Amino acid sequence: EELKAKRAIKFADKEYQQNLDRARDLSSLSTAIAAAYKEKRRLDTEEIKKLEKIEKLAKGIRHAAGGSDDDFQMDKPPSDLPAAVEMLCDLGQSLKTRVEKTPKHVVSAAVIDQANVLLEVVRLVRTLPS
């Protein structure tokens, strides 16, 4: 029993660390996309690949926080690509901060909501014209 408990604790610690790594990666990718857009005023295939990675990371964070796939609609989505890219960057930073502040073994509605908003912004960035 003690060995099982130690293994479970070790697994939970590993999961928590992976979630922190996801949040840090997501934050750096969103910052890189914003910087590239600011420089080029468009999104290249490299940034589109980063968007796909951000989407995957956000889904992983949402799942680790206790969330599931939901249809989510933003109240006030950004209307143009520059605003959407800026919002993506801000949300990436904010989500990283929330994940870092969330203790292990906690279902965080704030993290889930933030991940859902981020996923919606990723979808918008893909569809808004340059």
Side-chain angles (χ1 to χ4, degrees):
E1 290 297 316
E2 185 179 331
L3 191 57
K4 280 185 179 180
K6 284 183 180 181
R7 238 184 282 152
I9 290 170
K10 192 173 185 178
F11 179 76
D13 286 343
K14 183 179 175 187
E15 280 288 315
Y16 181 71
Q17 189 60 45
Q18 286 175 338
N19 205 38
L20 288 174
D21 291 343
R22 280 186 209 107
R24 291 178 184 131
D25 290 347
L26 187 148
S27 176
S28 66
L29 287 169
S30 66
T31 302
I33 288 172
Y37 183 78
K38 189 174 184 180
E39 181 181 318
K40 303 175 198 173
R41 302 306 294 165
R42 63 186 171 87
L43 297 177
D44 292 337
T45 55
E46 185 178 328
E47 283 77 38
I48 300 301
K49 287 180 183 179
K50 288 177 184 177
L51 280 172
E52 291 170 4
K53 180 76 173 169
I54 286 173
E55 186 174 25
K56 183 178 177 182
L57 292 168
K59 286 179 180 180
I61 290 168
R62 181 180 64 188
H63 178 73
S68 62
D69 293 335
D70 289 332
D71 288 330
F72 178 80
Q73 295 293 322
M74 291 177 62
D75 292 335
K76 296 179 182 179
S79 58
D80 60 357
L81 190 56
V85 170
E86 183 178 335
M87 187 176 199
L88 177 76
C89 184
D90 293 343
L91 287 168
Q93 301 298 320
S94 176
L95 185 58
K96 179 186 124 202
T97 302
R98 286 181 190 251
V99 169
E100 288 174 341
K101 289 182 179 180
T102 302
K104 298 178 206 174
H105 315 296
V106 173
V107 175
S108 174
V111 169
I112 294 166
D113 289 344
Q114 193 85 34
N116 283 333
V117 171
L118 183 90
L119 288 167
E120 184 63 23
V121 170
V122 166
R123 289 182 198 109
L124 284 171
V125 168
R126 282 192 186 140
T127 58
L128 286 172
S130 296

